[in-house]
Amino acid sequence: MILSRSRASRKPAPDAAGEGGQGAPPRHVAIIMDGNGRWAKARRLPRLAGHRAGAEAVRRTLRAAAKLGIECVTLYAFSSENWKRPEQEIADLTGLMKQFLRSELDEIHAANIRLKIIGDHHAFEPEAARMVDAAVEKTAENTGSTLVVALNYGAQDELARAMRTLGERIRAGTLEPAGVTPALIAAELDTANLPPLDLLIRTSGEQRLSNFLLWQVAYAELYFTETLWPDFDEAALAQAVASFGKRERRYGGL
């Protein structure tokens, strides 16, 4: 099973503001899963082999997250810029997504996990989009942890959509410009109603956000590792969480 149903072993979680004492585990961890192609190239394998190995890393990481008591995991699976890749690679990634849903959805549901999608997954071919919709609907009432998958997601587009929504409310006269607050903006984002982002991990040694959760990362801790995503495992996640636990989060205070 990907994630355990039991939550009894969870350590005390930070409060609703995403804060918590030093050493407290993160409630919400996001991961930029980078390095599948380099992993495959180093082994003289096709890129698809790297993506398949990356899917196995997802399974390992979700199991590890459950053991560590992480409430919400967000995975950057396909960015809005990834459409620039070759058509065959996009087809391969779409096929892996469908295969993952076929093989793992029942266990995700049995573990009481809610699946949430951020971005616009309806840009994928119809069968894949329908499978994602069905998976979200099937798990919608689950009350355990949350698995968020970013599909055709770009943070700048997310912010632009939020601004358009608020702009329409201003034009309609239901909102004054002075009433636009950070909380109001956050409520219009794809991540509304999720715990605040505590920790963002990027694998493969790259140190940039790549248009991922630009608003949400404002006070998140950043963790970069040289480990390629297919090699990421329970020990790697535990190391990232341990690093998080040693940091003092002051949110601009002393």
Side-chain angles (χ1 to χ4, degrees), residues 26 28-32 74 76 197-203 208-209 212-214 216-217 220-225 240 244 247:
H28 184 178
V29 175
I31 306 177
I32 300 174
T74 297
Y76 202 9
L197 181 62
D198 291 316
L199 174 64
L200 186 142
I201 300 168
R202 181 165 188 155
T203 60
R208 56 180 177 271
L209 298 179
F212 185 49
L213 301 180
L214 298 181
Q216 298 85 345
V217 80
E221 298 296 320
L222 307 182
Y223 181 88
F224 302 104
T225 174
F244 171 87
R247 303 184 189 185

Side-chain angles (χ1 to χ4, degrees), residues 9 39 61 100 107 136 151 169 176 179 188 235 254:
S9 62
W39 185 91
T61 300
F100 185 89
E107 292 190 3
V136 170
L151 291 172
R169 291 173 59 183
E176 291 294 328
E188 296 296 338
L254 299 178

Side-chain angles (χ1 to χ4, degrees), residues 25 28 39 43 65 70 73 100 105 113 121 126-127 129 141 148 152 158 178 182 187 212-213 217 224 235 242 249:
H28 184 178
W39 185 91
R43 290 160 177 76
I70 295 169
V73 175
F100 185 89
L105 179 58
I113 297 159
H121 64 281
E127 183 185 16
E141 301 302 319
V148 184
N152 188 28
E158 176 189 34
F212 185 49
L213 301 180
V217 80
F224 302 104
R249 307 181 76 195

Side-chain angles (χ1 to χ4, degrees), residues 40 88 128 174:
Q88 184 58 54
T174 60

Side-chain angles (χ1 to χ4, degrees), residues 238-249:
Q239 186 174 358
V241 169
S243 175
F244 171 87
K246 295 175 183 177
R247 303 184 189 185
E248 185 178 354
R249 307 181 76 195

Side-chain angles (χ1 to χ4, degrees), residues 14-29:
D15 64 23
E19 301 179 11
Q22 189 171 358
R27 291 179 67 196
H28 184 178
V29 175

